[in-house]
Amino acid sequence: TICKSHLYQMESAAAVNSPNQVKDPDNVNLWRMNTRRMEYELIRDSLLHAAQRLDLTLYGPPLPTPEAELVTGVRRTLYYRHARDDKIRMSRQFDDPSVEECYRRHETIVPQQSLVMANSEFVKLQVSALSKNLTKQIEGIADSEANAEFLDRAFHAVLGRPPSDAELDVSKSAIDRLVEQLSATNDSRAAIDVAREHFVHILFMHNDFVTIR
């Protein structure tokens, strides 16, 4: 019922000429949804879900925190222990709830968050898993069409939408150049696989992945 309500289905975007833009530009009366960044728990679960690795098993005792960033750490983030001195490392950069303040969150947008998404071994694990899944899905497609199909599926898997024509053109050009560069030191198959992983990683770092609109 909640999901079908008009209020729940409101968009964050509004027409430029909307009268509400003049009457209530700060959205005090909630005539549209406010754009917000996902909480860390949702970011981690979304990474696992996109890679088709998320374990949706319900219930159970708290799990050891270090396991959350290992290849075997596929349970929902909810099930990992969260205490003052026992937190998932990555969560510290994404405004995890403060144990000392009744689990209140202080929302920030800082460069370190992008750096974590770029360098986290946990993120790289999901990048590799998703890239391999997508490559397997397009087996049998002609080489001339394979990259375009891969890019389209990657956009759907990570951002939940198809790429625009401009995005697809830029992405195809970029991945082709990267394959050409990597082919100098790798065989062609390895070059394609590495280029695709890099592209998936870039999509995970896209603002649309961590933003709820």
Side-chain angles (χ1 to χ4, degrees), residues 108-208:
T108 61
I109 298 177
V110 294
Q112 291 89 329
Q113 292 161 352
S114 293
L115 292 173
V116 168
M117 294 296 287
N119 298 304
S120 167
E121 292 302 319
F122 176 80
V123 174
K124 292 177 182 178
L125 284 172
Q126 315 323 315
V127 166
S128 179
L130 176 55
S131 183
K132 289 175 181 176
N133 287 342
L134 296 178
T135 296
K136 187 174 182 179
Q137 291 173 21
I138 62 174
E139 287 179 353
I141 295 178
D143 291 344
S144 59
E145 301 175 6
N147 275 345
E149 183 65 22
F150 179 92
L151 296 173
D152 184 72
R153 291 177 184 244
F155 266 86
H156 278 90
V158 178
L159 304 184
R161 62 172 177 83
S164 66
D165 290 340
E167 287 174 327
L168 187 57
D169 289 342
V170 170
S171 299
K172 286 172 64 177
S173 177
I175 204 167
D176 287 344
R177 288 200 307 272
L178 186 54
V179 169
E180 184 179 351
Q181 293 171 6
L182 292 169
S183 295
T185 54
N186 299 274
D187 63 69
S188 58
R189 181 67 259 173
I192 293 172
D193 290 341
V194 173
R196 288 175 177 175
E197 284 196 14
H198 282 315
F199 181 78
V200 169
H201 201 164
I202 289 171
L203 283 185
F204 275 134
M205 294 176 62
H206 197 294
N207 189 51
D208 283 356

Side-chain angles (χ1 to χ4, degrees), residues 66-77:
E67 290 184 9
E69 294 184 290
L70 300 178
V71 67
T72 54
V74 294
R75 290 293 301 277
R76 290 176 57 200
T77 311

Side-chain angles (χ1 to χ4, degrees), residues 66-96:
E67 290 184 9
E69 294 184 290
L70 300 178
V71 67
T72 54
V74 294
R75 290 293 301 277
R76 290 176 57 200
T77 311
L78 172 71
Y79 292 102
Y80 292 94
R81 178 175 168 78
H82 183 85
R84 186 180 63 181
D85 299 318
D86 191 10
K87 302 177 182 179
I88 301 173
R89 289 179 301 170
M90 189 173 165
S91 72
R92 299 173 189 269
Q93 299 298 337
F94 284 95
D95 312 323
D96 56 343

Side-chain angles (χ1 to χ4, degrees), residues 44 48 54-55 57-59 63 73-77 79-80:
R44 181 181 176 277
L48 286 166
L54 182 63
D55 181 355
T57 302
L58 297 177
Y59 316 122
L63 300 171
V74 294
R75 290 293 301 277
R76 290 176 57 200
T77 311
Y79 292 102
Y80 292 94

